[in-house]
Amino acid sequence: MKKTNPPCSWLIISLWGICFLSCFIVSAQIKETPKQRIMNFYKWYGKTDAIPFEGDCYVSDGVDVTKIDMKCIEKYIKSVEATGFFSSIYIKGLQQEFFQKQADIKKNGYTSGIDYDRYTLSQDPPSFKDLLFALNNSSTSTINTNKVKVVVNLKKPYKISFIYSLDFENNVWKLSKIESK
């Protein structure tokens, strides 16, 4: 009969236990999958009163913006950030966009306004039901370590694909870029 060395087997069992426990802890910290995160984003988006409106911060002459209330923009950006759906990359890009608009106004006397919905990149945004249906029935996810792309293919009321880039930030998937094609 072969003798086994108990300390060695306990060491192997302990190592497996540590690996299992660390994997369990990491998976317990991740509260949502990227697809679930987009679904919750859509739920937030579906509440029209929850969406901040940046247009309140502009003085316009037709479609051109002639003045931007930067204090109002700061509040707008903080309210967008407070939703928890957007990464620091997205928030920095938003800040840079408004700084550029302010610089354009100084240089040219005006800048272009935004004449579409920022979150669906559309003048005629799809309904919450259509977005949710497309997410559940015709979407794909591509995960690359701490980044993921979720492509949602909408077929009704018109054909469009939304491409959501998410970054893993503070144990949560957060939107860093919204595109459409």
Side-chain angles (χ1 to χ4, degrees):
M1 186 188 254
K2 188 176 180 182
K3 280 188 163 181
T4 58
N5 190 352
C8 183
S9 62
W10 278 107
L11 177 64
I12 292 170
I13 291 170
S14 297
L15 288 174
W16 277 107
I18 290 169
C19 290
F20 175 76
L21 187 59
S22 64
C23 289
F24 177 75
I25 290 170
V26 167
S27 65
Q29 289 177 345
I30 300 172
K31 295 177 181 152
E32 299 171 308
T33 66
K35 199 170 174 180
Q36 288 170 326
R37 189 65 171 169
I38 297 298
M39 182 180 3
N40 287 328
F41 169 70
Y42 284 164
K43 288 177 184 176
W44 169 79
Y45 176 79
K47 297 176 188 174
T48 55
D49 58 332
I51 301 170
F53 181 60
E54 68 189 70
D56 292 339
C57 302
Y58 298 151
V59 174
S60 298
D61 181 15
V63 294
D64 295 330
V65 174
T66 56
K67 185 176 180 185
I68 299 176
D69 180 348
M70 290 308 279
K71 288 188 188 234
C72 180
I73 289 295
E74 286 175 27
K75 287 181 186 176
Y76 167 75
I77 290 173
K78 284 182 182 177
S79 66
V80 169
E81 188 174 20
T83 66
F85 287 111
F86 301 95
S87 72
S88 57
I89 294 167
Y90 185 90
I91 298 299
K92 285 177 187 171
L94 199 57
Q95 290 168 332
Q96 289 173 344
E97 178 185 330
F98 290 116
F99 288 137
Q100 183 59 52
K101 285 184 181 294
Q102 188 74 349
D104 290 346
I105 290 172
K106 279 186 178 178
K107 182 179 177 184
N108 304 321
Y110 68 94
T111 191
S112 61
I114 184 168
D115 62 346
Y116 56 88
D117 179 78
R118 184 176 288 281
Y119 308 109
T120 61
L121 309 176
S122 171
Q123 289 180 334
D124 186 22
S127 71
F128 167 70
K129 284 182 180 181
D130 291 334
L131 290 168
L132 202 54
F133 181 83
L135 178 67
N136 289 325
N137 296 295
S138 61
S139 66
T140 59
S141 299
T142 308
I143 298 175
N144 183 3
T145 314
N146 290 335
K147 296 184 179 295
V148 68
K149 274 196 184 197
V150 177
V151 178
V152 179
N153 299 303
L154 194 72
K155 295 175 181 154
K156 289 182 181 179
Y158 43 83
K159 191 174 179 178
I160 189 168
S161 294
F162 293 107
I163 303 149
Y164 300 99
S165 298
L166 296 99
D167 287 322
F168 198 63
E169 193 174 278
N170 299 324
N171 292 327
V172 178
W173 290 108
K174 293 188 177 189
L175 288 159
S176 55
K177 191 174 188 181
I178 302 171
E179 301 171 282
S180 68
K181 65 176 183 175

